[in-house]
Amino acid sequence: MAEVSRSGFPIGQPPAPVGGFPGMGGTTAEVPPSTPPAPAPQTAPVTATVPQAASRKRSGDTWWERVRFEVTDAVTSGALSERLIRASSAVEAPITTGRRIVVLGTAGGAATTTVAALLAKLLGSIRQEPVIAVDATDHSGNLLRYLGSSQAALLTELMQQFRTQSVRTLPDAVKHAASCGSQVFAAGRADVPALADAPIALQEWTDVSSTLSRFMAVTVVDGGASPLSRHAAALLGTAHAVVLVSPPGNPEAAKLASIQESLGKSFPDVHQISVVVRSRQNHEAALSDGMLPYDRHLASGSSLQLSRLGSRTRIAATELTGKALMAANRA
């Protein structure tokens, strides 16, 4: 296991991605000394973009929250750091064949895609095994963008390949997937508007998910925010575990309980995990089970970087990932 610092983050840089794509470089032209200064209107756009770039890269914690975490961890003799170590050990635990985890939201805007991206990123960075995240929502999602990929990787093309071509190796399996670093791959439904009236069928999803499980340690599926729909039923038909994402509040808690009961009757073999995601700042310092705290980095909507997560977010997300993987492994 990687050594962690007092604040609970891994020391050192993450491993290089497998099958990644070369980065985009650039050059800066030098201006001769004799060239007169550029007029003010030309420089204004450059200075205007600096605050925006900074806001996209800000840490999940404020400086005060980071100090508070350090003090709390010191006073409790490293209890929070130990909690992260135990959570990481659960993510590293041995598993059987490729596990399939479906993430479903109980309402639109519940952070379903954010949770799916977190699971995939943490599994890939901690386990160091191939992981694929699939945007199988019934609407156009943002999973690939959250995972940091600008590549078009259509799930429909991947399905077509699996139906018509033999898949014998990992490169074959990710031919139409995007590489997102740390052995994480992704495919999505950017063409979903044209498929809105044709949700994924059980048999075609069974075929593609079983093929992926031959090469991937874990398949994480973003199933959208319609957990009781026919579309979600197809995804749950091959799932080992389901993570239900809910906003906070008593009405939402009642809705979550109702959905859990319905899914338990329809899919008794699919183990359930639930998580409540806070969408705004909460000054409560306690880190509750089943709760993902508000995080400035996640709220920015930019591509997910684990190093920028808030300290408590990193702990809660790692614990959630370990619970989901253990639930899937029991199936």
Side-chain angles (χ1 to χ4, degrees):
M1 179 184 304
E3 184 181 357
V4 297
S5 65
R6 173 67 67 178
S7 60
F9 296 108
I11 296 177
Q13 298 295 323
V18 174
F21 297 90
M24 296 180 62
T27 59
T28 304
E30 296 185 359
V31 180
S34 59
T35 303
Q42 296 182 5
T43 61
V46 177
T47 58
T49 59
V50 174
Q52 297 177 5
S55 65
R56 288 195 300 268
K57 296 181 179 179
R58 64 182 178 179
S59 172
D61 283 337
T62 63
W63 70 270
W64 166 245
E65 289 168 333
R66 290 195 293 271
V67 170
R68 184 173 64 175
F69 181 89
E70 293 286 352
V71 171
T72 302
D73 199 32
V75 170
T76 57
S77 301
L80 294 177
S81 296
E82 288 294 330
R83 188 169 172 178
L84 178 60
I85 293 173
R86 290 194 301 270
S88 299
S89 298
V91 178
E92 289 181 310
I95 59 176
T96 53
T97 56
R99 301 289 89 185
R100 296 182 288 270
I101 301 173
V102 175
V103 183
L104 293 170
T106 62
T112 308
T113 301
T114 299
V115 170
L118 277 171
L119 294 181
K121 279 283 191 179
L122 285 166
L123 286 165
S125 64
I126 296 175
R127 293 193 63 87
Q128 295 298 292
E129 294 173 330
V131 174
I132 190 164
V134 179
D135 180 2
T137 59
D138 51 3
H139 61 279
S140 184
N142 295 310
L143 182 60
L144 269 71
R145 181 172 64 83
Y146 285 179
L147 291 172
S149 173
S150 59
Q151 178 188 358
L154 300 182
L155 179 59
T156 51
E157 293 183 356
L158 185 144
M159 288 180 165
Q160 177 66 19
Q161 176 203 354
F162 288 178
R163 285 195 297 265
T164 60
Q165 303 175 24
S166 59
V167 182
R168 298 189 177 92
T169 64
L170 176 61
D172 290 340
V174 299
K175 180 179 179 181
H176 292 288
S179 175
C180 303
S182 298
Q183 298 259 45
V184 177
F185 302 90
R189 301 188 81 193
D191 55 346
V192 75
L195 306 173
D197 296 326
I200 294 176
L202 175 59
Q203 187 56 55
E204 65 175 341
W205 179 249
T206 300
D207 294 341
V208 69
S209 61
S210 61
T211 300
L212 289 173
S213 291
R214 289 165 48 198
F215 304 97
M216 302 293 172
V218 186
T219 300
V220 178
V221 183
D222 180 2
S226 303
L228 302 181
S229 66
R230 181 164 60 96
H231 180 86
L235 303 177
L236 292 171
T238 64
H240 297 109
V242 57
V243 177
L244 293 170
V245 185
S246 173
N250 292 331
E252 295 297 336
K255 182 178 180 181
L256 172 63
S258 176
I259 292 173
Q260 288 176 317
E261 182 179 2
S262 296
L263 294 183
K265 294 178 180 178
S266 301
F267 304 95
D269 295 330
V270 179
H271 294 275
Q272 298 184 26
I273 300 293
S274 62
V275 60
V276 175
V277 180
R278 292 194 178 277
S279 59
R280 51 183 173 269
Q281 187 67 54
N282 174 38
H283 296 290
E284 177 60 48
L287 191 60
S288 305
D289 289 336
M291 178 78 70
L292 199 64
Y294 173 83
D295 188 280
R296 297 193 310 164
H297 175 56
L298 296 181
S300 70
S302 59
S303 61
L304 175 61
Q305 298 181 44
L306 296 180
S307 61
R308 295 190 179 278
L309 289 178
S311 305
R312 287 175 172 78
T313 304
R314 183 63 178 265
I315 294 174
T318 306
E319 288 179 334
L320 173 64
T321 304
K323 291 177 182 178
L325 189 61
M326 287 190 292
N329 206 31
R330 291 196 300 266

